[in-house]
Amino acid sequence: MSVQTENPPFATLYAELQQFYARHMHLLDTGAAEEWAETFTEDGTFLSPSLTEPVRGRTAIAAGVRESAARLAEAGETHRHVLTTVDVTPRPDGSLFARSYTQVIATPHGGQARLHLMCVCEDVLVLAGDGFRVRERRVTRDDMP
Amino acid sequence: MSVQTENPPFATLYAELQQFYARHMHLLDTGAAEEWAETFTEDGTFLSPSLTEPVRGRTAIAAGVRESAARLAEAGETHRHVLTTVDVTPRPDGSLFARSYTQVIATPHGGQARLHLMCVCEDVLVLAGDGFRVRERRVTRDDMP
Amino acid sequence: MSVQTENPPFATLYAELQQFYARHMHLLDTGAAEEWAETFTEDGTFLSPSLTEPVRGRTAIAAGVRESAARLAEAGETHRHVLTTVDVTPRPDGSLFARSYTQVIATPHGGQARLHLMCVCEDVLVLAGDGFRVRERRVTRDDMP
């Protein structure tokens, strides 16, 4: 239990990070575009193999969510991002590096749920006054290694 | 880390809630009907789109587990409830509101595991002397939005 | 919140155990055989229905990971071990008993992710100077009950 004397204690950091990610994914999956974008820093970036170039800044990030939500509504499907297996490393500059797994589960309305994608999510997070923000996200997909 | 001065600290609440849910689901999935029912309040309610009406009280909740366990034994299948992505909000009255994702995984004995259902679980929990109890549960299924 | 006065507090133990498991699985899934083996005690054991006999000791455990990694590279597949639903019980001798669920997700490169196996993982863990070590692991598969 070597982290006991750190400030904030590791238990606080880990619980608040898990809570952050949970709320973050509930916002994404309910299409709450602006609230989701606010869980990134103002200049936050998002890189993913599904994208032709990185998304930069809250306006672009929110637009991406609205576009996905519209596409899913059109298709009559719900997606859930199940983020687990969080390995977090505090960095000397006060930021955090977190590596996690994300299962994307897709369910057509009236149909059968399926595992759509298996991803690894690598985030750099910073603490703002009232909680975490994602500054950089890099997603990789296991089907596109 | 704005929650640091709260009592109990958020880290304690979040860890104990995750531990509660883990034990709760292990009990359900092993068919421990009475022990599972005791993780609800005496007058606990359970609403789900799989049910024609809400289940109320520990006796009815335990009966539901026994019935499911018998049906699964007959079918030669094991179900696991993988509850993750817990977003918890403490309420002024001391209760908690928790929204989480639950994957129901079904595995026929001698066969292939499959994602059976993707659900969202919304609970109101209260603290009894020795731990959490579910007072109200509302489950929604992504295939029946 | 009955565990508040324990030492270490339950929140610390639970957060550090989840962090341990996350790093542990990232090591396994990236084929980091020696580092993975070091997350077991020197004489750690690993029992699984996929094995004809228990694996004993770090050398054998590392060899098993190298073999699996080579087989997956040959097949052009990535596996992820998604360990969740951790129910932990501290024991009087200072060790921990942890029961968890593990989904094994397989993704062929260029293909579709799938749920490969649903497992239950029962560990006895001990605290070394700098963190947890698995002393005994018993894995069961839901398809081979």
Side-chain angles (χ1 to χ4, degrees):
Chain A
M1 300 285 171
S2 57
V3 298
Q4 281 280 59
T5 56
E6 292 174 19
N7 193 348
F10 183 76
T12 301
L13 182 151
Y14 201 78
E16 297 204 353
L17 184 58
Q18 287 183 304
Q19 163 65 36
F20 169 80
Y21 275 133
R23 183 170 170 276
H24 177 77
M25 289 312 191
H26 288 295
L27 290 172
L28 174 61
D29 295 336
T30 53
E34 271 67 34
E35 284 172 282
W36 156 266
E38 278 162 27
T39 63
F40 289 81
T41 59
E42 190 60 63
D43 60 349
T45 58
F46 189 114
L47 284 82
S48 141
S50 312
L51 301 167
T52 50
E53 55 184 286
V55 174
R56 288 182 194 281
R58 286 181 181 160
T59 304
I61 287 169
V65 175
R66 275 192 300 271
E67 197 185 312
S68 295
R71 208 170 42 233
L72 289 172
E74 175 92 13
E77 231 176 63
T78 297
H79 281 198
R80 302 290 177 191
H81 291 76
V82 180
L83 188 153
T84 61
T85 326
V86 180
D87 177 8
V88 62
T89 308
R91 290 176 158 178
D93 67 358
S95 68
L96 302 173
F97 179 72
R99 190 174 191 272
S100 59
Y101 290 162
T102 300
Q103 294 167 269
V104 186
I105 308 290
T107 309
H109 303 159
Q112 179 57 51
R114 68 181 189 278
L115 175 58
H116 178 51
L117 291 176
M118 183 74 218
C119 300
V120 175
C121 180
E122 294 181 325
D123 280 351
V124 178
L125 300 114
V126 293
L127 256 177
D130 58 346
F132 295 107
R133 297 285 184 282
V134 178
R135 192 170 68 197
E136 295 174 41
R137 168 162 298 170
R138 193 172 73 94
V139 176
T140 52
R141 290 168 45 169
D142 282 357
D143 59 325
M144 300 169 70
Chain B
M1 301 286 171
S2 55
V3 300
Q4 281 280 61
T5 56
E6 293 175 18
N7 192 350
F10 183 77
T12 300
L13 182 151
Y14 202 77
E16 297 203 354
L17 185 58
Q18 287 184 304
Q19 164 64 36
F20 169 80
Y21 274 133
R23 182 169 171 275
H24 178 78
M25 290 311 192
H26 288 297
L27 289 173
L28 174 61
D29 295 337
T30 52
E34 271 67 35
E35 283 171 283
W36 156 266
E38 278 163 26
T39 63
F40 289 81
T41 59
E42 189 60 62
D43 60 349
T45 58
F46 188 115
L47 284 83
S48 141
S50 311
L51 300 167
T52 49
E53 54 184 285
V55 173
R56 289 183 194 280
R58 286 182 181 158
T59 304
I61 288 169
V65 174
R66 275 193 301 271
E67 196 186 313
S68 294
R71 207 169 43 233
L72 289 172
E74 175 93 13
E77 234 177 60
T78 297
H79 281 197
R80 303 289 178 192
H81 291 76
V82 180
L83 188 153
T84 61
T85 325
V86 179
D87 177 8
V88 62
T89 308
R91 290 175 158 180
D93 68 358
S95 68
L96 302 173
F97 178 72
R99 191 174 189 271
S100 58
Y101 290 162
T102 300
Q103 294 168 270
V104 185
I105 308 290
T107 310
H109 303 158
Q112 179 59 50
R114 69 180 188 279
L115 175 58
H116 177 51
L117 290 177
M118 183 73 217
C119 301
V120 174
C121 180
E122 294 181 324
D123 280 351
V124 177
L125 300 114
V126 293
L127 257 176
D130 58 346
F132 295 108
R133 297 284 185 280
V134 179
R135 192 170 67 196
E136 293 174 42
R137 168 161 297 170
R138 194 172 73 95
V139 176
T140 53
R141 289 168 45 169
D142 282 358
D143 60 325
M144 299 169 71
Chain C
M1 298 289 170
S2 57
V3 299
Q4 281 279 60
T5 56
E6 292 174 19
N7 193 348
F10 182 76
T12 300
L13 182 152
Y14 201 76
E16 296 203 353
L17 184 58
Q18 287 184 303
Q19 163 65 36
F20 169 81
Y21 275 132
R23 183 170 170 274
H24 178 76
M25 289 312 190
H26 288 296
L27 290 172
L28 174 61
D29 295 336
T30 53
E34 270 67 33
E35 284 172 282
W36 156 265
E38 279 163 26
T39 62
F40 288 81
T41 59
E42 190 60 65
D43 60 349
T45 58
F46 189 115
L47 283 84
S48 141
S50 312
L51 301 167
T52 50
E53 55 184 284
V55 174
R56 289 183 193 279
R58 286 182 181 158
T59 304
I61 288 169
V65 174
R66 276 193 300 271
E67 196 185 313
S68 295
R71 206 170 44 233
L72 288 172
E74 175 92 12
E77 232 176 63
T78 297
H79 281 196
R80 303 288 178 193
H81 291 76
V82 180
L83 187 153
T84 62
T85 326
V86 179
D87 177 7
V88 61
T89 309
R91 290 175 159 179
D93 68 358
S95 68
L96 302 172
F97 179 72
R99 190 174 191 271
S100 58
Y101 289 161
T102 299
Q103 293 167 271
V104 186
I105 309 289
T107 310
H109 303 158
Q112 179 58 50
R114 68 181 188 278
L115 175 58
H116 178 51
L117 291 177
M118 184 73 218
C119 300
V120 174
C121 180
E122 294 181 325
D123 281 351
V124 177
L125 300 113
V126 294
L127 256 176
D130 58 346
F132 296 107
R133 298 284 185 280
V134 179
R135 193 170 68 195
E136 294 174 41
R137 169 163 297 171
R138 193 172 73 94
V139 176
T140 52
R141 290 168 45 170
D142 281 357
D143 59 326
M144 299 169 70

